Amino acid sequence: MDVLALLADGFATSISPLNLLIVLIGVTVGIFIGAMPGLGSVNGVAIVLPLTFIVPPTSAIILLAAIYYGAMYGGAISSILLGIPGASTAVATTFDGRPMAQKGEAGLALIVAAVASFIGGTVSVVLFTAFAVPLADMALAFGPAEEFALVLLAFTTFVGLGGDDILKTIVMICLGLVLSTVGLDIISGEPRLIFGDMPGFYSGVSFLVLAIGVYGVGEVLYTIETSRNAPMVTPARLTFSELRAGLSKMTRMWRTMSLGSVLGFFVGILPAAGATPAALMSYGVAKSISKRPESFGRGNPEGVAAPETANNAASTGSLLPMLTLGIPGSPTTALLLGGMVMWGLTPGPMLFVEQKEFVWGLISSLYTANVAAVLVNIALIPVFVWALRMPFTVLCAMVLVLCIVGGYAPDQRMHDVWMIAGFGVAGYVLRKADYPLAPLVLALVLGPLMEKSFRQTMIAEHGDVTVFVDRPISAVFMAISVLLFLLPLIRLLRRSRARASNPAPAE
Amino acid sequence: MLAADRIIALALMGLSLCFMIYALRLPIGWEPETGPGAGAFPFWLGLGMLLASGAILARSFVVRPHSDETFIPDADAIPQILGVIGLLLGAIALIPLLGAYIALMLFLLAYLRIIGGHGWVLTGILTLTTPVFLFFFFEVTLKILLPKGITEPLFYPLYAMFF
């Protein structure tokens, strides 16, 4: 088969000694970052991205993907041992992971989480391999009109399915898109929004600056406020007999885990959904099909396996639209996409034609990253338990230093460092006021593509906007966009009608 | 929460107005040869942002969904947050003058000792090893020079050794 041959070529790249070493470093760093309360995959990728100049692009993205993966494994560690999720994606893991730890089964819970993550990750990578080529082939036929409609669709999923305040989501999308227009205009060459001729803005607002600001500095400020009291670390011991007992227990959970993997993968593909809702949904499904639903929430290992398979599967799923369509499915994949642009690659279906080595090197590295992550995770559990005792102020200080230096390094401009501080404080305040930050980052990354495709279409069609509904694929995207945009309104209408028919409201 | 919500909505409205005014310096309508003008995208999206944040402000007078929540649940955290922000801005301001190494060492020293309340041993180890790591990672390996300010002459022997 064609795909298998390409995958085999990919393995030739990904199992080179350098890339194996990189995967190992990446998953270890990722698990560590994921295990730290407050820091998740997006923070890890944002902080490490500026440091990737040290290796060639293929290795750089393998490193970042390994961190992304590792963070998904690591999130479970603090969910189980501290009872607070290491990342938002591991929220559902606390439901049963914490009770298990309190019953003295912390070791078992950690094993279940690691193995479930491995299964979710592996199943979804296989699905990824199967879907990537057909999807990229389809996307090759896309013109600017389809591209514009697709980006619009990505934004409307945030409005329709994001679950945040709709007006605040719209504000954040607009803000991100406007910020993306700062700098020299691609078509007319004129400088735009340089705020009274400030030279620092000529080259635009880099997504990296926004990401480090929001996910580095902003996250640290937010975490300082929310977790000032050092939580108790539950001791966990691991023996080989426990490992064996855990594995035999897991063979009985195949149904939950396979459902979680498939569900996670497909939820992960949706731009606004991602790993957190996937994990929560998978937990809900596992509970509803269980013969003993009442045991969930009281330390049922299945309640750890379900979310952990799903969140790892979702993280792979969100890579699919990023790599094949050039539309990221989550903030973390938006950063990976931004990184690819920075290394001189054009994301989208053409990658599968022009950069085979890069694409298949990355895909095959997901297989090796999974194996590495499960081994590192189980082998180094005592180290991560010890690391969780590290005072939070030490971690904060290190992260802030890395934010400053990492923000300066790519372009060597103090302007960027000031912007990082500004975005950090602004991001912290906006997040406290319930403004969602993921649409902001995604809008900044997708803004240039959206504007370019819109203007190209308009020039080609002499300002005729009906082209977006005349072309079939673009029309489908547009129709779904409109539907997603109207979804909150429909919900609101139904709620008010229900209230009208029921004169005594519950509130 | 209500006051904070309104202030933030107003600030966002101001920001979008500022975007729109700057975008107006460029053509925002239809240009005969090149389609939509360079200012069109930022102008109309700025307008969208203005309307949405204006709606948030208007809504806060009609419904009050979060009136029971407070913007700052834990007032004790404020001095610490402000302290961290202050230290961060101070360190950034000092970088062009004293160089990244001295500025970041001062930052770490102040952060770990005053905010973290850590002992001199831990503070000292981290304050001294971090710049060494940064030097070898950025300057030696990546060949990215960090700003040195007035400390530049001190690095001449190091440059001679590693480059």
Side-chain angles (χ1 to χ4, degrees):
Chain A
M1 251 187 65
D2 213 21
V3 174
L4 290 181
L6 288 165
L7 192 61
D9 283 348
F11 273 113
T13 311
S14 66
I15 56 177
S16 71
L18 171 72
N19 288 339
L20 275 183
L21 181 72
I22 278 175
V23 162
L24 216 56
I25 295 173
V27 292
T28 313
V29 171
I31 295 173
F32 177 77
I33 291 174
M36 287 295 142
L39 299 184
S41 62
V42 68
N43 315 101
V45 171
I47 297 163
V48 176
L49 189 53
L51 315 180
T52 54
F53 294 106
I54 198 167
V55 286
T58 311
S59 306
I61 195 145
I62 288 176
L63 174 71
L64 295 179
I67 290 175
Y68 182 30
Y69 244 79
M72 287 291 158
Y73 279 81
I77 297 177
S78 53
S79 291
I80 292 165
L81 296 182
L82 300 178
I84 41 177
S88 69
T89 48
V91 170
T93 313
T94 56
F95 300 164
D96 276 281
R98 188 59 183 161
M100 278 182 80
Q102 283 163 339
K103 283 197 291 187
E105 294 177 347
L108 179 67
L110 289 171
I111 292 167
V112 170
V115 177
S117 296
F118 174 72
I119 290 174
T122 309
V123 170
S124 61
V125 175
V126 174
L127 288 174
F128 182 99
T129 315
F131 279 100
V133 174
L135 203 58
D137 279 347
M138 193 185 84
L140 274 177
F142 286 4
E146 283 80 14
E147 274 173 14
F148 174 78
L150 193 62
V151 177
L152 194 68
L153 180 62
F155 289 133
T156 49
T157 46
F158 276 99
V159 176
L161 306 174
D164 295 295
D165 188 325
I166 290 145
L167 286 170
K168 289 178 176 172
T169 310
I170 294 174
V171 171
M172 288 291 104
I173 293 172
C174 289
L175 176 61
L177 288 174
V178 174
L179 286 177
S180 79
T181 64
V182 172
L184 297 175
D185 175 28
I186 28 163
I187 291 181
S188 68
E190 285 168 288
R192 297 191 288 183
L193 298 181
I194 42 169
F195 307 103
D197 218 26
M198 284 171 72
F201 284 109
Y202 270 89
S203 50
V205 177
S206 148
F207 84 98
L208 196 60
V209 167
L210 180 73
I212 297 178
V214 169
Y215 292 116
V217 177
E219 192 79 47
V220 165
L221 295 176
Y222 191 79
T223 317
I224 289 173
E225 191 197 318
T226 47
S227 59
R228 285 188 319 130
N229 304 321
M232 282 288 295
V233 181
T234 314
R237 256 169 295 117
L238 257 162
T239 53
F240 274 102
S241 60
E242 231 170 345
L243 189 64
R244 219 173 311 126
L247 288 177
S248 73
K249 224 172 218 169
M250 299 207 58
T251 51
R252 271 171 276 149
M253 299 181 200
W254 63 270
R255 202 165 59 139
T256 301
M257 290 196 293
S258 41
L259 265 176
S261 307
V262 176
L263 182 81
F265 179 76
F266 286 103
V267 173
I269 295 175
L270 296 174
T276 311
L280 289 166
M281 280 163 74
S282 170
Y283 183 87
V285 170
K287 190 175 170 179
S288 63
I289 62 166
S290 168
K291 287 185 195 110
R292 298 181 301 125
E294 73 288 348
S295 65
F296 276 74
R298 294 184 190 161
N300 185 338
E302 220 160 339
V304 173
E308 279 304 307
T309 41
N311 68 18
N312 273 61
S315 62
T316 317
S318 67
L319 282 172
L320 185 71
M322 186 277 272
L323 212 56
T324 55
L325 310 176
I327 309 287
S330 67
T332 317
T333 47
L335 297 187
L336 294 178
L337 186 98
M340 280 160 62
V341 175
M342 215 166 68
W343 305 314
L345 297 162
T346 316
M350 283 309 280
L351 273 181
F352 282 78
V353 182
E354 288 172 348
Q355 302 284 344
K356 284 202 173 87
E357 196 198 347
F358 173 84
V359 168
W360 291 99
L362 170 63
I363 295 175
S364 61
S365 84
L366 297 178
Y367 289 87
T368 52
N370 253 311
V371 178
V374 74
L375 294 179
V376 168
N377 192 342
I378 292 179
L380 295 188
I381 281 175
V383 179
F384 294 122
V385 172
W386 173 80
L388 280 179
R389 296 215 173 95
M390 182 166 90
F392 192 66
T393 40
V394 171
L395 182 73
C396 284
M398 293 297 142
V399 169
L400 289 175
V401 166
L402 272 183
C403 287
I404 296 176
V405 184
Y408 177 82
D411 290 317
Q412 284 125 61
R413 296 189 310 175
M414 281 311 289
H415 172 81
D416 289 343
V417 182
W418 283 111
M419 294 279 288
I420 285 173
F423 279 132
V425 176
Y428 162 68
V429 172
L430 286 173
R431 180 163 167 194
K432 279 176 70 68
D434 295 329
Y435 283 83
L437 297 174
L440 174 69
V441 175
L442 231 61
L444 184 73
V445 172
L446 289 177
L449 173 67
M450 188 175 189
E451 187 186 8
K452 192 185 79 181
S453 56
F454 180 72
R455 285 166 74 178
Q456 279 176 345
T457 317
M458 285 301 99
I459 295 169
E461 304 292 329
H462 306 289
D464 179 14
V465 285
T466 55
V467 61
F468 293 115
V469 284
D470 279 346
R471 296 176 67 117
I473 300 177
S474 139
V476 171
F477 291 154
M478 282 290 180
I480 304 174
S481 301
V482 171
L483 205 70
L484 284 169
F485 204 81
L486 293 178
L487 201 63
L489 281 178
I490 297 169
R491 260 187 241 141
L492 203 72
L493 269 177
R494 275 169 71 184
R495 211 177 303 155
S496 63
R497 194 175 298 162
R499 206 170 295 167
S501 62
N502 180 7
E507 290 168 81
Chain B
M1 189 75 192
L2 193 63
D5 215 27
R6 284 179 190 160
I7 294 170
I8 292 168
L10 269 175
L12 287 167
M13 285 171 77
L15 186 66
S16 49
L17 270 177
C18 161
F19 288 145
M20 287 163 72
I21 291 166
Y22 277 108
L24 272 177
R25 296 186 179 181
L26 298 159
I28 59 157
W30 182 264
E31 297 292 295
E33 287 297 309
T34 54
F41 216 67
F43 179 82
W44 296 108
L45 283 165
L47 185 67
M49 184 175 152
L50 179 70
L51 294 177
S53 42
I56 292 172
L57 184 68
R59 185 181 59 182
S60 73
F61 291 98
V62 186
V63 281
R64 296 175 180 185
H66 300 293
S67 51
D68 52 329
E69 291 172 24
T70 47
F71 189 65
I72 300 157
D74 184 1
D76 295 345
I78 302 173
Q80 202 178 353
I81 300 268
L82 290 179
V84 174
I85 295 174
L87 274 182
L88 184 71
L89 296 180
I92 297 174
L94 283 179
I95 287 176
L97 299 172
L98 300 178
Y101 295 99
I102 302 291
L104 291 176
M105 281 168 82
L106 289 174
F107 172 78
L108 283 172
L109 189 71
Y111 195 120
L112 295 171
R113 188 66 202 159
I114 300 167
I115 295 180
H118 296 292
W120 282 112
V121 178
L122 181 73
T123 308
I125 292 173
L126 287 173
T127 307
L128 294 175
T129 51
T130 311
V132 175
F133 165 78
L134 292 177
F135 179 80
F136 279 97
F137 191 86
F138 284 97
E139 313 228 355
V140 177
T141 319
L142 293 181
K143 305 277 184 285
I144 291 174
L145 298 182
L146 298 178
K148 308 283 185 331
I150 53 163
T151 60
E152 186 85 46
L154 299 176
F155 284 86
Y156 293 156
L158 286 171
Y159 291 156
M161 209 184 298
F162 291 106
F163 296 113

